[in-house]
Amino acid sequence: MTSYKELGFVNTNDMFKKAYTGKYAVPAYNFNNMEQIQAIITACLKTQSPVILQVSAGARKYANADLLRGMAKGAIDMMKKMAKDEGLKEIPVALHLDHGATFEICKDCIDSGFSSVMIDGSHHSFEDNIALTTKVVEYAHAHDVTVEGELGVLAGIEDDVVAEKSNYTKPEEVEEFVKKTGVDSLAISIGTSHGAYKFKVNNESEIPPLRFDILEEIERKLPNFPIVLHGSSSIPQEAVKIINEHGGKIEKAFGVPEAQLRKASQLSVCKINIDSDGRLWMTASIRKFFDENPSKFDPRGYLGAGREALTKMYEKKNREVLGSAQN
Ligand code: G3H
Ligand code: 13P
Ligand code: ZN
């Protein structure tokens, strides 16, 4: 058993309290490799933003769970040294399991040093979701680990479940769910969705707005309670254009407009999950690098270009979209 406290992480309690009163959202960025985590830490330290490092089951499978945990621990050491060298304050970092499907994966993460877990019971019945979430909360809270639950199903691909249409969160269910389970935050469905193809539309002007009416009703039922938005990439058209100009083929890919995320983060949304935008910028910069440097073959060249693009993107998100930058 390794406690997250020994590794230098924090749980999300204090982060969300400050985010709620400060009217911003804490960024939750997924990582699978070294360049992504370097970019996340560098950008968040520079902007003095708290950050949630997210690990999915797929990331654990791809990179090896022990190696990923070691990388996250290394990221804390890197952040502390960089802060000292650059005269900056250290930032709070949480290590979070994204979309935990079972009690067992949540327990495994808690036992190995995660400070926060998501138990995603959203595709179960309301009663089964409550039972599963409660079991995770009991174990997590005994170790001072925070838990995110979910009510409502996002359109797009969520875990291995493909939801054709959004199943918006029912505001009349949230109070009972939170009271019975004891979760620390709640992911809701108000029109965001996972991946690069969020909406079946032909251009940006046709993107349906998020259901702020549902968010506001949930806020009335759960005052001062942190809400989480998944599927919140904005699918930057500039990155899509670069990909397509350099041999890629990404068509009719649109995301959640940044202005709507800005508005949500000023309301009760305290955590915003972004993964696809980073994937797009990484791909765009690597494709461009290959096209422009046909004779180069050192991975540090093209992965370094990807890391640079990611760092810029995370900085911009913290400053202009989530409002989490304090510097
Ligand atoms: O919500 C899902 C995240 O973007 C993680 O995706 O399961 O492909 O690692 P993944
Ligand atoms: P995006 O696919 O919109 O980046 O969403 C990521 C996410 O919700 C991770 O849990
Ligand atoms: Zn998600």
Side-chain angles (χ1 to χ4, degrees), residues 2 55 61 93 95 128 172 177 184-185 198 256 270 285 322:
T2 309
V55 172
K61 198 166 160 202
V93 181
L95 181 61
D128 290 351
E172 62 275 18
F177 185 81
D184 304 286
S185 62
K198 298 191 189 298
V256 184
C270 291
S285 40
L322 293 100

Side-chain angles (χ1 to χ4, degrees), residues 98-99 194 230-231 273:
D98 192 24
H99 292 284
H194 289 102
H230 281 249
N273 288 12

Side-chain angles (χ1 to χ4, degrees), residues 103-305:
F103 170 79
E104 288 70 27
I105 188 171
C106 292
K107 180 179 182 300
D108 193 43
C109 287
I110 293 165
D111 291 351
S112 68
F114 280 55
S115 60
S116 175
V117 292
M118 174 190 192
I119 176 69
D120 183 355
S122 58
H123 41 269
H124 294 302
S125 69
F126 185 62
E127 291 71 25
D128 290 351
N129 189 358
I130 289 182
L132 177 61
T133 306
T134 306
K135 190 175 173 192
V136 171
V137 170
E138 279 168 5
Y139 188 78
H141 283 185
H143 297 85
D144 210 12
V145 166
T146 38
V147 180
E148 173 185 325
E150 179 165 338
L151 267 183
V153 180
L154 272 66
I157 298 162
E158 184 143 3
D159 287 67
D160 297 327
V161 181
V162 180
E164 275 292 308
K165 277 195 201 149
S166 269
N167 233 324
Y168 296 128
T169 306
K170 298 184 182 96
E172 62 275 18
E173 287 184 348
V174 298
E175 243 179 309
E176 183 183 347
F177 185 81
V178 168
K179 210 175 264 171
K180 285 194 168 157
T181 59
V183 278
D184 304 286
S185 62
L186 183 68
I188 60 165
S189 171
I190 55 165
T192 62
S193 92
H194 289 102
Y197 302 96
K198 298 191 189 298
F199 309 105
K200 288 199 174 82
V201 297
N202 292 310
N203 56 62
E204 278 177 299
S205 64
E206 293 170 13
I207 296 172
L210 296 181
R211 293 289 305 270
F212 281 98
D213 56 321
I214 299 179
L215 176 63
E216 280 161 11
E217 209 178 329
I218 290 172
E219 194 172 332
R220 278 193 291 278
K221 306 257 184 205
L222 294 174
N224 300 314
F225 191 80
I227 298 300
V228 177
L229 281 190
H230 281 249
S232 296
S233 277
S234 298
I235 315 301
Q237 297 302 298
E238 196 190 336
V240 171
K241 187 166 174 270
I242 296 172
I243 291 173
N244 291 339
E245 280 170 359
H246 295 277
K249 196 168 192 284
I250 293 189
E251 287 165 346
K252 293 186 187 170
F254 300 105
V256 184
E258 292 191 333
Q260 292 189 37
L261 296 170
R262 186 77 207 95
K263 180 175 167 187
S265 59
Q266 286 163 334
L267 299 169
S268 53
V269 171
C270 291
K271 172 176 180 270
I272 289 188
N273 288 12
I274 296 172
D275 187 1
S276 298
D277 284 357
R279 296 178 182 195
L280 287 166
W281 273 118
M282 181 66 112
T283 303
S285 40
I286 292 177
R287 278 192 175 278
K288 188 165 181 279
F289 184 96
F290 281 151
D291 251 4
E292 291 172 355
N293 302 278
S295 62
K296 293 204 173 152
F297 60 92
D298 183 340
R300 290 173 294 189
Y302 52 86
L303 294 176

Side-chain angles (χ1 to χ4, degrees), residues 25-76:
V26 178
Y29 297 132
N30 291 71
F31 80 98
N32 295 265
N33 68 24
M34 186 186 78
E35 285 75 13
Q36 287 171 317
I37 198 170
Q38 286 175 321
I40 295 167
I41 292 294
T42 305
C44 291
L45 181 67
K46 188 167 172 200
T47 55
Q48 291 283 282
S49 166
V51 64
I52 297 170
L53 296 172
Q54 288 201 148
V55 172
S56 69
R60 278 163 55 98
K61 198 166 160 202
Y62 170 77
N64 182 285
D66 293 319
L67 180 59
L68 270 188
R69 191 261 317 262
M71 278 166 58
K73 158 79 179 95
I76 293 282

